[in-house]
């Protein structure tokens, strides 16, 4: 039985959950441990904490948060944001995280994935990929001769020239046990996942794919699984401000014929 | 709480993986759970937990290099409640297809085999247990649909199928839990399985507590007899 996971994502800075658009206009969305416990009760299958603290001065605050979550929340959770070295990964896993998510540092030095996988196992390593479509509308264009998706860094600001599908395959070869795929075109738009991107990646690798970026309705979550082939769906704002509960998300997904763990 | 109500549980610390969460979940279940490699403390504990994540061969090598193989086997032989989790469960088997050169603890005769091809490997998801031994004390109070969290590429195939306590469907039927005497072993992660997982660990703590109480009953009554005589 293949079961799709529903994964609330919590952006954290200075020990608080925040939500904004493109890292500006951040709104306080609560205490990470309280929110995590609420999502557990609502039936969240897993949690992702993304440390968006700009300066490394506040890493201790994040490590402390990971400790507190691990002591009070008994579902798996991933910590990402600022994992640049094997030592960073070790610190978060020892603090109680089940997985770490790597992004920019892994693109800059892909061996990081292999190093973490060798010490802690592939199941601990999530490779986050932020991708943007080369041709915004998918139509032929003389300005953009090649279509496809390009990997971006730094929250979608820095292009790399790397093809997202090539990078996904490489990351898995290096030992990534899961891919967290975010469409930078869709992030914050609330018009749904980039289904084509999700499907292309999920058909290219044999590790679980978590779809992210663009969720505005609960039907979008279901589409990520049924049309995109994702194994898990990640969303932030629709859950934080109580527009929808995780339980509601699961009932919509179940109605679409997807097997989910009942909330 | 008295000592009998808060039993000492030794969580074997051989330096691999996230043993922290297993310890915290056992404490939530009412135990005095200690991460340890102290043979004396392990011998005194009411129950013993062998956790594990990662590779079978690396975990067995670490268990041996930290001197924990003999205390683990002694604990099994003592008849005290013993719980293996994930790779800790796999290490209780004789061997694993993951690493042909490595030998297991051979507590549960059998082979740890790759999940048959078909679905994505590893199975990294929640799945619903089918209880093949629904009366097992470890499996009480898990709810009508016990969904638990799995992260694994191999599963235990015991020589004696009667020791299987629970299975899940994942492409084919996968063995998820085992019972052999005082040993219970789970392929899934109860410490990451929300309420059903905490219920299972709570059962383990209670079983340890009861085992300690019945063990304690003898010397106490003897003492009273001595005083009155």
């Amino acid at each position: 039985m293949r079961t799709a996971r529903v994964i609330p994502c919590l952006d954290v800075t200075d020990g608080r959950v925040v939500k904004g658009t493109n890292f500006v206009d951040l709104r306080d969305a609560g205490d990470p441990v309280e929110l995590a416990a609420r999502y557990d009760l609502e039936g969240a299958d897993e949690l992702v904490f993304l440390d968006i603290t700009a300066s490394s001065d506040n890493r201790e605050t994040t490590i402390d948060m990971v400790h507190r979550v691990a002591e009070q929340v008994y579902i798996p959770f991933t910590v990402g944001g600022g994992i640049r070295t094997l030592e960073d990964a070790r610190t978060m896993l020892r603090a109680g995280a089940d997985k770490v998510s790597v992004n920019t540092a892994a693109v800059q030095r892909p061996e990081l994935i292999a190093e973490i996988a060798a010490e802690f196992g592939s199941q601990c390593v999530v490779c986050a990929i932020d991708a943007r479509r080369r041709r915004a509308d998918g139509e032929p264009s003389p300005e953009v001769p090649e279509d496809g998706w390009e990997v971006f860094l730094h929250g979608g600001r820095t292009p790399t020239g790397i093809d997202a599908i090539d990078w996904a395959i490489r990351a898995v070869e290096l030992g990534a046990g899961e891919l967290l795929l975010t469409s930078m075109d869709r992030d914050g738009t609330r018009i749904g996942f980039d289904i084509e991107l999700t499907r292309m990646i999920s058909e290219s690798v044999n590790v679980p794919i978590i779809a992210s970026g663009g969720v505005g309705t609960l039907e979008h979550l279901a589409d990520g699984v049924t049309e995109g082939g994702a194994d898990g769906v990640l969303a932030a704002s629709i859950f934080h401000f109580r527009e929808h509960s995780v339980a509601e998300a699961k009932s919509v997904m179940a109605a679409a014929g997807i097997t989910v763990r009942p909330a | 709480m008295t000592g009998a109500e808060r039993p000492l549980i030794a969580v074997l610390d051989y330096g691999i993986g996230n043993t922290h969460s297993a310890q915290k979940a056992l404490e939530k279940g009412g135990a005095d759970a200690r991460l340890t490699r102290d043979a004396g403390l392990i011998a005194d504990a009411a129950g013993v937990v062998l956790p594990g994540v990662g590779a079978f061969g690396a975990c067995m090598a670490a268990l041996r290099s930290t001197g924990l193989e003999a205390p683990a086997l002694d604990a099994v032989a003592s008849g005290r409640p013993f719980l293996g989790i994930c790779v800790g469960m796999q290490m209780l088997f004789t061997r694993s297809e993951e690493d042909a050169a490595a030998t297991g603890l051979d507590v549960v005769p059998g082979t740890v085999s790759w999940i048959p091809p078909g679905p994505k490997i590893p199975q990294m998801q929640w799945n619903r247990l089918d209880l093949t031994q629904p009366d097992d004390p470890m499996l009480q109070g898990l709810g009508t649909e016990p969904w638990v969290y799995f992260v694994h590429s191999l599963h235990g195939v015991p020589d004696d199928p009667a020791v299987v306590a629970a299975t899940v469907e994942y492409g084919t039927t996968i063995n998820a839990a085992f019972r052999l005497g005082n040993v219970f072993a789970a392929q899934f992660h109860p410490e990451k399985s929300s309420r059903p997982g905490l219920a299972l660990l709570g059962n383990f703590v209670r079983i340890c507590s009861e085992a300690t109480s019945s063990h304690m009953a003898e010397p106490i009554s003897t003492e009273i007899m001595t005083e009155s005589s």
Side-chain angles (χ1 to χ4, degrees):
Chain A
M1 178 164 50
R2 184 164 159 244
T3 310
R5 288 173 278 157
V6 176
I7 308 173
C9 178
L10 298 87
D11 289 347
V12 294
T13 184
D14 296 327
R16 297 289 293 178
V17 179
V18 290
K19 188 60 199 172
T21 308
N22 299 325
F23 298 94
V24 294
D25 191 24
L26 296 176
R27 285 195 283 167
D28 189 277
D31 174 66
V33 178
E34 277 174 30
L35 265 176
R38 191 184 101 205
Y39 289 139
D40 176 10
L41 273 176
E42 286 182 2
D45 296 306
E46 223 170 297
L47 299 169
V48 170
F49 292 91
L50 192 59
D51 184 3
I52 60 166
T53 307
S55 114
S56 54
D57 301 347
N58 293 322
R59 294 298 282 173
E60 287 301 323
T61 315
T62 306
I63 296 163
D64 176 63
M65 181 206 76
V66 172
H67 268 291
R68 289 191 296 129
V69 171
E71 285 181 8
Q72 296 175 53
V73 180
Y74 296 97
I75 57 175
F77 70 97
T78 302
V79 177
I83 307 288
R84 296 184 180 87
T85 64
L86 175 62
E87 185 56 37
D88 289 339
R90 195 182 282 140
T91 301
M92 290 305 173
L93 294 168
R94 292 228 172 117
D98 298 285
K99 314 178 200 177
V100 289
S101 163
V102 293
N103 189 338
T104 301
V107 172
Q108 291 168 341
R109 204 176 64 82
E111 298 73 28
L112 177 63
I113 293 173
E115 289 166 8
I116 303 171
E119 182 160 334
F120 296 100
S122 285
Q123 81 288 340
C124 284
V125 194
V126 181
C127 183
I129 300 177
D130 295 343
R132 192 182 289 280
R133 190 157 195 170
R134 294 180 199 269
R135 288 176 185 157
D137 51 9
E139 294 297 318
S141 139
E143 290 79 30
V144 188
E146 279 187 78
D147 197 11
W149 289 264
E150 181 178 352
V151 176
F152 274 68
L153 303 180
H154 306 115
R157 294 192 301 274
T158 312
T160 64
I162 298 168
D163 181 76
I165 294 167
D166 289 348
W167 174 230
I169 293 167
R170 178 88 202 284
V172 171
E173 284 170 358
L174 285 163
E178 188 165 84
L179 301 179
L180 169 55
L181 180 64
T182 302
S183 161
M184 300 315 295
D185 300 305
R186 296 301 178 90
D187 203 30
T189 63
R190 303 176 67 91
I191 59 171
F193 294 123
D194 184 336
I195 293 296
E196 210 178 332
L197 168 67
T198 309
R199 195 173 52 239
M200 291 291 282
I201 302 277
S202 69
E203 286 174 357
S204 302
V205 295
N206 194 33
V207 300
I209 305 296
I210 310 302
S212 158
V215 173
T217 69
L218 300 178
E219 286 72 20
H220 290 154
L221 297 175
D223 293 345
V225 177
T226 55
E227 295 175 32
D231 300 275
V233 287
L234 182 130
S237 55
I238 63 162
F239 296 135
H240 295 338
F241 296 111
R242 299 190 184 239
E243 276 173 57
H244 299 289
S245 68
V246 175
E248 287 170 342
K250 288 191 161 182
S251 59
V252 168
M253 291 169 73
I258 300 165
T259 304
V260 289
R261 176 177 69 113
Chain B
M1 276 196 186
T2 67
E5 286 168 334
R6 205 167 176 82
L8 176 64
I9 294 180
V11 181
L12 303 188
D13 175 18
Y14 52 97
I16 284 189
N18 179 3
T19 41
H20 192 72
S21 37
Q23 182 213 1
K24 290 294 169 194
L26 287 160
E27 292 200 329
K28 194 177 173 69
D32 173 10
R34 314 250 187 104
L35 274 175
T36 186
R37 52 182 70 166
D38 176 344
L41 194 146
I42 296 162
D44 287 343
V48 175
V49 176
L50 178 60
V53 294
F56 179 88
C59 283
M60 280 308 305
L63 191 76
R64 289 187 174 121
S65 68
T66 51
L68 284 170
E69 183 181 25
L73 289 171
D74 288 348
V76 169
S78 74
R80 287 172 292 151
F82 192 101
L83 172 63
I85 298 174
C86 197
V87 179
M89 170 235 104
Q90 296 183 356
M91 291 155 78
L92 292 167
F93 277 67
T94 312
R95 64 188 80 79
S96 172
E97 289 178 1
E98 189 180 22
D99 189 340
T103 54
L105 295 170
D106 198 24
V107 168
V108 181
T111 302
V112 180
S113 303
W114 293 102
I115 295 173
K120 286 192 182 184
I121 307 292
Q123 170 174 220
M124 191 184 314
Q125 63 166 20
W126 295 74
N127 208 331
R128 192 185 58 227
L129 293 177
D130 294 316
L131 307 183
T132 48
Q133 297 190 29
D135 296 331
D136 193 292
M138 285 291 282
L139 299 173
Q140 302 311 300
L142 271 55
T144 50
E145 295 211 347
W147 286 78
V148 293
Y149 187 73
F150 289 84
V151 183
H152 67 130
S153 301
L154 301 97
H155 74 129
V157 182
D159 293 345
D160 177 7
V163 306
V164 175
T167 62
V168 291
E169 291 304 314
Y170 192 65
T172 176
T173 301
I174 299 290
N175 295 325
F178 308 87
R179 163 64 73 183
L180 193 63
N182 56 315
V183 175
F184 189 88
Q187 178 61 71
F188 52 92
H189 285 276
E191 77 281 14
K192 289 290 164 186
S193 296
S194 196
R195 282 153 285 173
L198 292 174
L200 184 142
L201 292 173
N203 289 337
F204 185 71
V205 175
R206 185 175 40 76
I207 292 162
C208 289
S209 184
E210 287 166 3
T212 313
S213 311
S214 58
H215 179 68
M216 291 298 285
E218 279 301 307
I220 288 167
S221 57
T222 313
E223 200 173 296
I224 293 163
M225 291 286 283
T226 315
E227 272 177 29
S228 60
S229 61

